[in-house]
Amino acid sequence: MPVIETPEVTPERARYYDKIREQGLSPLWMVFNRLITRTPESDCRPYLWRYADLKPLLLEAGGLISAAEAERRVLILENPGMPDSGRITTSLYAGLQLVLPGEVAPAHRHSQSALRFVVDGDGAYTAVDGERTVMRPGDFVITPPWAWHDHGNESGEPMIWMDGLDIPVLQFFDASFAEPYSGDLQPVTRQTGDSLARFGANMLPVDHARGGSVSPIFNYPYARSREALEQLKRQEEWDPCHGLKLCYVNPLNGDAAMPTISAFIQLLPAGFETAPYRSTDATVFTPVEGRGFSTIAGQRFDWAEKDVFVAPSWATVVHHPETESVLFSFSDRTCQEKLGIFREQRNPDDG
Ligand code: 1HN
């Protein structure tokens, strides 16, 4: 239902609208319902990409172009409701990246924030501001805005991860900056594991400033997140909508790991059916373990490990894990919370 009834266009009004258009003016009353909707209206559609389809296509790209020539060899997961937009949701970008054994993806930096979620392969590294971290399946790795970063694969197998970036947010604000590094790789200045030891052990260096907007931890290893879920599941305190869901946080301020993107890991027991839930943060999910299906705005999507699916803003989501399942997800929730516009609803009527 529209907010107002759009006024009729009389010949006299039409002449007036044509006249003012030439002076860069437009009558609000004719577009009011497009600008202000009762509930979110989005071009973003629910969709699922099967890893079984994605992997061979990504490996095929591996034979077509090198990581160095491509800068980043990525297949963008583009929402079918927003073709050619480079978007998986209205505010977020996602893609699957391949780095083959022996390859490097050269160093650069940009004002966009990036996350990596490791899907396949074990042992490639990403370097952020002088420290390399080894990437293992299920690891959540971040690249803060304006941090130099490069990737390399010294393992013997292809490495595939999902990238999530806030590219559309920066486009919206016209705030994109980027630059290449002078060489291929940045120098290594810290030992691997330094940031996790310094900031990821529930301690901080004694005089370290609090309140930075980006987490100084840049790899949240799956072994640790999985162990937390395993311990907590014994408590049997299931949230009806989320099962057991944890958020990756910045230890300097307790907020999301990055200022614009929230990321989560959740465990759903076999046979659990979540209560209908909707929220204004369109969300990208990837199952790390398990299989099942989810209904998104009434449409069923069967999923297995490593698939990627997307739920638009305000679409009602219900998860039906068939086996015990672990889902990784990310959204712009923290960005909306900072702006005071985040909304969520449990058990909506249309669920
Ligand atoms: C980027 O820097 C990476 O560093 C991945 O791996 C995807 C997509 C657009 C712009 C920069 C990376 C990207 C990207």
Side-chain angles (χ1 to χ4, degrees), residues 91-93 111-114 145 164-171 259-261:
S91 63
L92 295 170
Y93 158 103
S111 47
Q112 289 78 3
S113 298
L165 286 90
D166 57 3
I167 291 170
V169 176
L170 276 85
Q171 284 176 322
T260 49
I261 310 179

Side-chain angles (χ1 to χ4, degrees), residues 140-179:
F140 169 65
V141 176
I142 67 164
T143 307
W146 213 240
W148 292 111
H149 56 287
D150 50 81
H151 318 298
N153 186 351
E154 294 169 355
S155 85
E157 46 181 332
M159 195 74 200
I160 296 174
W161 63 77
M162 178 169 63
D163 293 310
L165 286 90
D166 57 3
I167 291 170
V169 176
L170 276 85
Q171 284 176 322
F172 179 76
F173 287 114
D174 283 333
S176 176
F177 294 88
E179 64 177 314

Side-chain angles (χ1 to χ4, degrees), residues 13-304:
R13 288 175 181 174
R15 281 193 299 279
Y16 172 77
Y17 300 156
D18 288 345
K19 181 174 74 180
I20 67 171
R21 181 174 300 116
E22 287 162 20
Q23 300 190 46
L25 296 168
S26 168
L28 170 63
W29 58 90
M30 292 307 293
V31 294
F32 196 90
N33 290 322
R34 265 194 282 143
L35 303 184
I36 308 288
T37 57
R38 284 186 184 262
T39 54
E41 284 184 15
S42 178
D43 289 330
C44 178
R45 293 216 294 255
Y47 195 72
L48 179 140
W49 292 263
R50 265 176 233 301
Y51 190 65
D53 299 332
L54 293 170
K55 186 172 181 179
L57 292 171
L58 197 51
L59 292 173
E60 195 180 335
L64 282 179
I65 190 164
S66 69
E69 191 191 350
E71 185 79 11
R72 297 296 185 260
R73 190 202 288 112
V74 177
L75 292 183
I76 301 175
L77 300 167
E78 199 163 62
N79 193 288
M82 298 180 286
D84 305 318
S85 65
R87 299 174 181 201
I88 189 163
T89 69
T90 307
S91 63
L92 295 170
Y93 158 103
L96 276 199
Q97 177 159 182
L98 169 69
V99 184
L100 290 170
E103 284 193 315
V104 296
H108 66 203
R109 64 178 174 178
H110 40 69
S111 47
Q112 289 78 3
S113 298
L115 67 82
R116 334 265 165 216
F117 191 75
V118 182
V119 173
D120 216 345
D122 195 331
Y125 69 83
T126 189
V128 174
D129 279 342
E131 182 182 335
R132 286 184 179 181
T133 187
V134 177
M135 299 168 89
R136 327 204 71 147
D139 288 0
F140 169 65
V141 176
I142 67 164
T143 307
W146 213 240
W148 292 111
H149 56 287
D150 50 81
H151 318 298
N153 186 351
E154 294 169 355
S155 85
E157 46 181 332
M159 195 74 200
I160 296 174
W161 63 77
M162 178 169 63
D163 293 310
L165 286 90
D166 57 3
I167 291 170
V169 176
L170 276 85
Q171 284 176 322
F172 179 76
F173 287 114
D174 283 333
S176 176
F177 294 88
E179 64 177 314
Y181 191 67
S182 50
D184 261 0
L185 302 179
Q186 60 180 308
V188 175
T189 57
R190 288 178 182 278
Q191 310 172 58
T192 293
D194 186 283
S195 68
L196 197 59
R198 223 177 269 269
F199 301 103
N202 298 318
M203 294 181 278
L204 293 175
V206 65
D207 289 323
H208 196 277
R210 308 294 196 273
S213 69
V214 177
S215 175
I217 301 168
F218 71 104
N219 188 345
Y220 296 71
Y222 188 59
R224 288 201 191 179
S225 347
R226 189 65 184 84
E227 192 187 338
L229 294 173
E230 199 58 32
Q231 166 71 35
L232 291 172
K233 85 178 190 196
R234 288 187 229 129
Q235 191 69 30
E236 297 272 358
E237 277 174 7
W238 307 109
D239 178 284
C241 296
H242 305 303
L244 168 55
K245 188 169 182 178
L246 302 173
C247 172
Y248 294 92
V249 296
N250 170 359
L252 299 180
N253 64 4
D255 206 340
M258 292 188 289
T260 49
I261 310 179
S262 296
F264 311 91
I265 192 107
Q266 80 192 102
L267 185 139
L268 299 165
F272 195 79
E273 180 184 321
T274 60
Y277 172 83
R278 63 182 176 182
S279 56
T280 50
D281 60 327
T283 302
V284 179
F285 291 92
T286 187
V288 196
E289 296 178 25
R291 65 182 153 72
F293 69 95
S294 300
T295 58
I296 305 171
Q299 220 182 319
R300 173 174 170 146
F301 295 91
D302 286 87
W303 44 258

